[in-house]
Amino acid sequence: MAEVLVITPVKNSIETTLDTARAIAASDVSVRHIIFNDFSTDETKASLEEHKSKIGYELIHIEELTDHPSPNYKLVLQTAQKIALEAGFPLLVIESDVVVKPDTISSLLSQQRKNAKSGLVGSVTVDEAGVVNFPYLKFKGVKQPVIHTQRSLSFCCTLFTLDFLKSYDFMGLDAAKDWYDTFISKKSIELGFENTVLMNAPVWHRPHASRPWKQLKYSNPLKYYFLKFWKGLDKI
């Protein structure tokens, strides 16, 4: 029987998405995994459908819920919260550029059970060589296996406890934003919860593989900032 609802928002990047899904399926704990396809190409949609039963995930096409253009992270979180609360599960976001280890999810679940005040529990991100990378460079020098932090957690691989889900309704999320990592991290603390990062349960993160246009930040920064500010992309 599943112990947690795992969600993965997807916008194309099918190869990394399938890597993510296979890793989740290989976890040492039973999960319910839902991929939210956020207006990907027809090719990506077809591939997601093809691999659904082979890997073992559920698939929700955002286009069947709204005509609002991608990104639809707010709707994904709202829909996932409703499903998690109905099932009585904590909610775990694992993004489509992240590869977990077999014991990652069980480590996150174990940590949240140890602390009655737990709000968010995240896994630190590392590169292929195991070195801490974006977006957790701020914790690169940390030696402790587990840290409590007032700083923002990334949703690369982050668990929302059931108590936190019951305490804050995602219907209140600001529609003007695209991403909610910082806001929800702060909201958790504001509501009296504690946020934790597991330095001893790292996940492999390929930064921005789930949103390829953001690679422009490194290859063509002028175009990146044009898209970010003039086009209003990536609002946090």
Side-chain angles (χ1 to χ4, degrees):
M1 181 178 177
E3 296 183 37
V4 59
L5 174 65
V6 181
I7 64 166
T8 303
V10 170
K11 175 70 173 182
N12 298 319
S13 193
I14 187 62
E15 293 305 321
T16 64
T17 296
L18 294 178
D19 286 345
T20 297
R22 292 186 185 102
I24 292 169
S27 295
D28 62 8
V29 61
S30 181
V31 308
R32 180 181 177 186
H33 183 204
I34 302 177
I35 289 178
F36 286 83
N37 171 37
D38 193 4
F39 289 92
S40 296
T41 63
D42 290 342
E43 291 78 9
T44 295
K45 183 177 180 180
S47 186
L48 288 170
E49 289 285 359
E50 176 189 350
H51 288 89
K52 181 170 61 173
S53 58
K54 296 178 183 177
I55 297 176
Y57 55 80
E58 298 172 45
L59 183 59
I60 293 178
H61 298 294
I62 296 294
E63 65 197 50
E64 298 174 2
L65 305 180
T66 183
D67 58 4
H68 184 279
S70 176
N72 284 289
Y73 214 178
K74 177 171 67 73
L75 179 58
V76 168
L77 290 173
Q78 290 169 343
T79 305
Q81 182 183 42
K82 183 175 184 294
I83 295 170
L85 288 173
E86 288 175 351
F89 290 161
L91 172 63
L92 175 58
V93 179
I94 300 178
E95 295 188 336
S96 62
D97 51 8
V98 169
V99 176
V100 299
K101 296 179 180 179
D103 64 348
T104 298
I105 298 176
S106 57
S107 295
L108 291 164
L109 291 170
S110 176
Q111 178 61 36
Q112 61 103 28
R113 293 187 189 110
K114 293 176 182 177
N115 182 3
K117 294 183 178 180
S118 185
L120 306 182
V121 185
S123 284
V124 72
T125 57
V126 298
D127 62 19
E128 197 168 5
V131 178
V132 174
N133 68 353
F134 177 87
Y136 282 121
L137 289 170
K138 57 196 173 189
F139 299 134
K140 192 169 185 178
V142 171
K143 301 300 181 184
Q144 302 98 305
V146 178
I147 59 172
H148 296 285
T149 181
Q150 299 282 317
R151 303 184 71 175
S152 175
L153 272 66
S154 164
F155 290 171
C156 287
C157 181
T158 293
L159 180 78
F160 306 160
T161 66
L162 186 57
D163 284 343
F164 173 69
L165 292 176
K166 291 177 179 178
S167 298
Y168 178 67
D169 187 350
F170 291 170
M171 294 303 293
L173 292 173
D174 186 352
K177 297 182 181 295
D178 292 326
W179 316 112
Y180 299 93
D181 311 50
T182 298
F183 175 81
I184 291 180
S185 295
K186 291 180 178 177
K187 179 59 68 174
S188 172
I189 293 170
E190 178 186 313
L191 292 173
F193 294 99
E194 296 178 354
N195 296 340
T196 306
V197 177
L198 303 189
M199 303 298 293
N200 59 357
V203 294
W204 178 28
H205 179 221
R206 290 170 278 190
H208 307 318
S210 61
R211 298 190 292 277
W213 76 270
K214 293 192 71 174
Q215 296 290 350
L216 292 169
K217 186 173 184 179
Y218 313 106
S219 62
N220 190 338
L222 288 176
K223 186 174 182 180
Y224 166 78
Y225 285 108
F226 169 78
L227 292 170
K228 180 177 175 65
F229 295 112
W230 185 257
K231 294 291 187 179
L233 299 181
D234 208 34
K235 296 183 290 292
I236 60 175

